[in-house]
Amino acid sequence: MSITKESDLTGMQKASEAVAHTLKKMTDYAQPGMTTNELDEYGAKILTEFGAKSAPHSTYGFPGWTCISVNNEFCHGVPSDKRKLQEGDLVNIDVSAELNGFWADNGGSFVLGQDINQHQKLVNASKEILIKTINSIRGGVKIADIGHLMESEAKKRGFKVIRNLAGHGIGRGLHEQPDELLNYQNKFDQRRFKKNSVVAIETFISTTSSYATALSDGWTMVGNKGGFMAQHEHTIVVTDNAPLILTEMNEIFK
């Protein structure tokens, strides 16, 4: 999607506010002893109050309203009454939704309570890399160069990137062009970011794995070599200067 008129920007801002507010409220609400289904239902309530519809649920028939992944689950975790959150868990919440024909996406990983399992370093790396990445995006910048930056920053910190997960264009649909905004450099990709385009930029920073594989439920993904992964994601508008971060109110950088 490209922002061509004021109503486009307003629509994206409202959809982004819905997902960002939901992500922040869910992150604050999460506590040890709570099931991931309880947390998901809380998120569904907030989305509904905004008049927004869960994107994974409505688009793909995902069995939940938000994706909640815990510990060794990398992404697309299915909310469950059987999964109880525990102190020190590495939790990822990904919230995407549609509101009045506009779509927005955001996500964040965090340590629940005390960092007794030493996940905070990974979480911090993911945040720092996303901040540096977003600050480097301008109209005309090569997409592959941004991927190179992300992987280089991960390696500096002793981590890897997941090579089969990527950011994407967004706006009038959940996944639009440009697709495959990778966390590494694809030397064959000559595309450049376009001014006024809307994209979801996300990190996939891992401890030991380079690829994510699906479990038997068909949704939840884990690492091909185990370990843990942190993800942070913002929906942004590309400009000639620093991008406009539409989902900034999720406060994932705090």
Side-chain angles (χ1 to χ4, degrees):
M1 178 183 175
S2 182
I3 300 292
T4 58
K5 51 186 183 290
E6 190 67 29
S7 59
D8 289 341
L9 180 58
T10 301
M12 283 306 304
Q13 286 173 326
K14 288 181 177 177
S16 298
E17 179 186 7
V19 298
H21 185 75
T22 301
L23 177 60
K24 183 181 187 306
K25 295 288 281 186
M26 289 178 71
T27 301
D28 292 343
Y29 187 70
Q31 58 183 322
M34 176 183 295
T35 68
T36 54
N37 194 53
E38 286 178 88
L39 183 56
D40 183 57
E41 289 294 336
Y42 178 72
K45 180 174 176 288
I46 299 168
L47 284 175
T48 301
E49 288 172 353
F50 274 96
K53 296 177 182 177
S54 162
H57 184 77
S58 60
T59 306
Y60 300 115
F62 180 76
W65 305 102
T66 66
C67 298
I68 304 174
S69 309
V70 183
N71 293 331
N72 67 307
E73 299 171 347
F74 279 20
C75 62
H76 306 158
V78 177
S80 169
D81 283 325
K82 297 178 181 177
R83 188 65 180 260
K84 284 192 175 182
L85 298 176
Q86 298 180 27
E87 187 84 13
D89 277 349
L90 173 62
V91 182
N92 177 268
I93 302 174
D94 195 310
V95 183
S96 54
E98 177 268 329
L99 179 61
N100 298 326
F102 294 92
W103 303 68
D105 196 356
N106 69 164
S109 295
F110 60 95
V111 175
L112 186 63
Q114 296 298 311
D115 185 30
I116 56 179
N117 300 312
Q118 272 72 64
H119 293 309
Q120 193 62 50
K121 183 182 175 185
L122 175 64
V123 170
N124 290 346
S126 177
K127 288 183 183 183
E128 291 163 7
I129 293 167
L130 185 59
I131 291 169
K132 193 159 192 174
T133 297
I134 289 176
N135 288 336
S136 301
I137 293 175
R138 303 281 190 279
V141 170
K142 286 184 72 173
I143 288 172
D145 288 349
I146 291 299
H148 178 66
L149 170 67
M150 297 172 94
E151 184 173 36
S152 298
E153 291 296 322
K155 285 181 175 178
K156 277 184 196 175
R157 294 165 172 79
F159 296 115
K160 300 177 181 292
V161 298
I162 300 301
R163 300 175 75 84
N164 62 329
L165 296 174
H168 50 91
I170 192 169
R172 289 294 189 176
L174 179 58
H175 292 101
E176 297 183 340
Q177 295 297 324
D179 62 357
E180 295 197 344
L181 304 178
L182 301 167
N183 277 207
Y184 68 94
Q185 183 180 36
N186 175 3
K187 294 180 180 179
F188 299 102
D189 188 354
Q190 298 301 312
R191 299 174 300 166
R192 296 175 183 272
F193 285 100
K194 295 179 180 178
K195 181 183 177 182
N196 296 328
S197 64
V198 184
V199 291
I201 299 294
E202 48 191 321
T203 55
F204 301 99
I205 312 302
S206 75
T207 55
T208 56
S209 291
S210 296
Y211 292 90
T213 59
L215 294 179
S216 58
D217 66 10
W219 297 103
T220 308
M221 301 193 84
V222 298
N224 66 319
K225 294 184 178 178
F228 303 92
M229 187 193 82
Q231 178 256 19
H232 290 86
E233 176 183 20
H234 271 306
T235 293
I236 68 171
V237 179
V238 180
T239 74
D240 284 333
N241 299 300
L244 173 62
I245 304 177
L246 296 173
T247 47
E248 191 167 21
M249 70 175 294
N250 64 26
E251 298 184 6
I252 58 174
F253 290 154
K254 283 197 173 181

